[in-house]
Amino acid sequence: MKAAVIVFPGSNCDRDVAVAVDRIMGTKPIMLWHRETEVPDLDLIVVPGGFSYGDYLRSGAMAAHSPVMREVKAQAEKGVRVLGICNGFQILTEAGLLPGALMRNRGLKFICKDVHLKVESAGSDFTRGYRDGEVVRYPVAHHDGNYFADDETLARVEGQGQVAFRYAHPDGRVDDAANINGSRNNIAGLFNERRTVLGLMPHPERLIDDHLGGTDGVPMFKSLLEALS
Ligand SMILES: NC(=O)CC[C@H](N)C(=O)O
């Protein structure tokens, strides 16, 4: 199993997710600088959180055009699993690997807190370790997490079961009061059609140890390990 974490100028969750992959999946990922053009064949690519290129223009907009992303796109095309967390989710939408866009939070404030998520689909290599409808607690830390897609795209992703996670109450209810940032249909995480790419705003890599406050992120990395080994 070969994994890589992409590193952009301004990434700040790259080492955290590398620790999660190493500890839970038992493999040290290679760290790939944004200028890299030669990338070995991989099984898993993680696009981590942070502020790539200072989030100038729009979060993820510049990173989506960096040299390494050509390789990421080519490998994603072949079915290599790609996990984009927070800024990584923003980059994957800007790169066209996931539909829609992430806009400024509805309240125009940076949100940094733990939130509850309803697992909308456990039917993927990323989420098999959870149960459909299960409620998990993940931290969020973003100012551009407001998921937007036009009506047609939204109907398509909903119809095809591409929604992975929704912002929810602790009892699993999904409504506007649980919608921390104004995302359409409370979408917090989304698959591509083949479910080989997942992007999500909350941070699974930040809850992988009781010393960090919980372990709700562990099943995601365990699911990937099972799928890829
Ligand atoms: N933690 C992150 O990756 C933050 C993503 C992005 N910089 C935002 O604030 O929306």
Side-chain angles (χ1 to χ4, degrees):
M1 223 277 298
K2 211 168 172 132
V5 176
I6 310 295
V7 186
F8 297 98
S11 297
N12 61 19
C13 307
D14 46 330
R15 293 194 211 172
D16 292 16
V17 79
V19 169
V21 170
D22 185 15
R23 282 224 208 140
I24 303 166
M25 304 182 69
T27 179
K28 259 199 196 326
I30 55 169
M31 308 302 279
L32 284 178
W33 185 232
H34 68 124
R35 285 192 201 281
E36 206 62 68
T37 50
E38 276 170 38
V39 175
D41 284 343
L42 297 162
D43 301 298
L44 171 67
I45 299 173
V46 183
V47 188
F51 295 80
S52 50
Y53 303 95
D55 284 0
Y56 288 112
L57 296 182
R58 197 169 54 236
S59 294
M62 290 172 74
H65 296 281
S66 61
V68 76
M69 284 305 292
R70 275 197 288 275
E71 265 304 309
V72 173
K73 282 195 213 171
Q75 297 217 17
E77 193 64 37
K78 288 192 236 159
V80 171
R81 306 301 185 276
V82 181
L83 171 63
I85 302 170
C86 202
N87 197 226
F89 184 16
Q90 296 162 341
I91 294 167
L92 295 182
T93 58
E94 295 292 334
L97 286 172
L98 288 171
L102 278 312
M103 305 194 311
R104 183 91 359 134
N105 295 338
R106 168 166 69 181
L108 305 181
K109 294 237 165 72
F110 190 94
I111 305 172
C112 184
K113 62 177 185 181
D114 285 0
V115 297
H116 289 94
L117 303 173
K118 180 180 170 208
V119 179
E120 198 61 42
S121 173
S124 80
D125 290 346
F126 302 89
T127 53
R128 205 155 284 128
Y130 300 102
R131 279 173 287 107
D132 279 341
E134 182 178 348
V135 177
V136 294
R137 183 173 56 90
Y138 279 13
V140 294
H142 60 249
H143 58 63
D144 296 335
N146 180 356
Y147 181 75
F148 178 81
D150 60 33
D151 292 345
E152 199 188 317
T153 307
L154 197 63
R156 196 178 67 241
V157 299
E158 290 283 359
Q160 293 179 160
Q162 288 177 242
V163 178
F165 297 99
R166 293 188 210 273
Y167 300 108
H169 291 283
D171 64 4
R173 270 177 312 119
V174 172
D175 62 16
D176 199 50
N179 193 349
I180 56 162
N181 53 25
S183 292
R184 290 205 80 182
N185 293 10
N186 285 45
I187 290 173
L190 194 68
F191 303 116
N192 64 344
E193 272 179 47
R194 288 194 284 167
R195 299 192 184 195
T196 51
V197 177
L198 169 67
L200 76 170
M201 288 312 296
H203 289 266
E205 81 283 16
R206 293 192 187 175
L207 271 197
I208 58 149
D209 192 310
D210 282 328
H211 291 111
L212 297 174
T215 54
D216 279 5
V218 170
M220 181 168 297
F221 297 97
K222 279 202 171 148
S223 306
L224 282 165
L225 173 63
E226 268 172 40
L228 299 174
S229 50

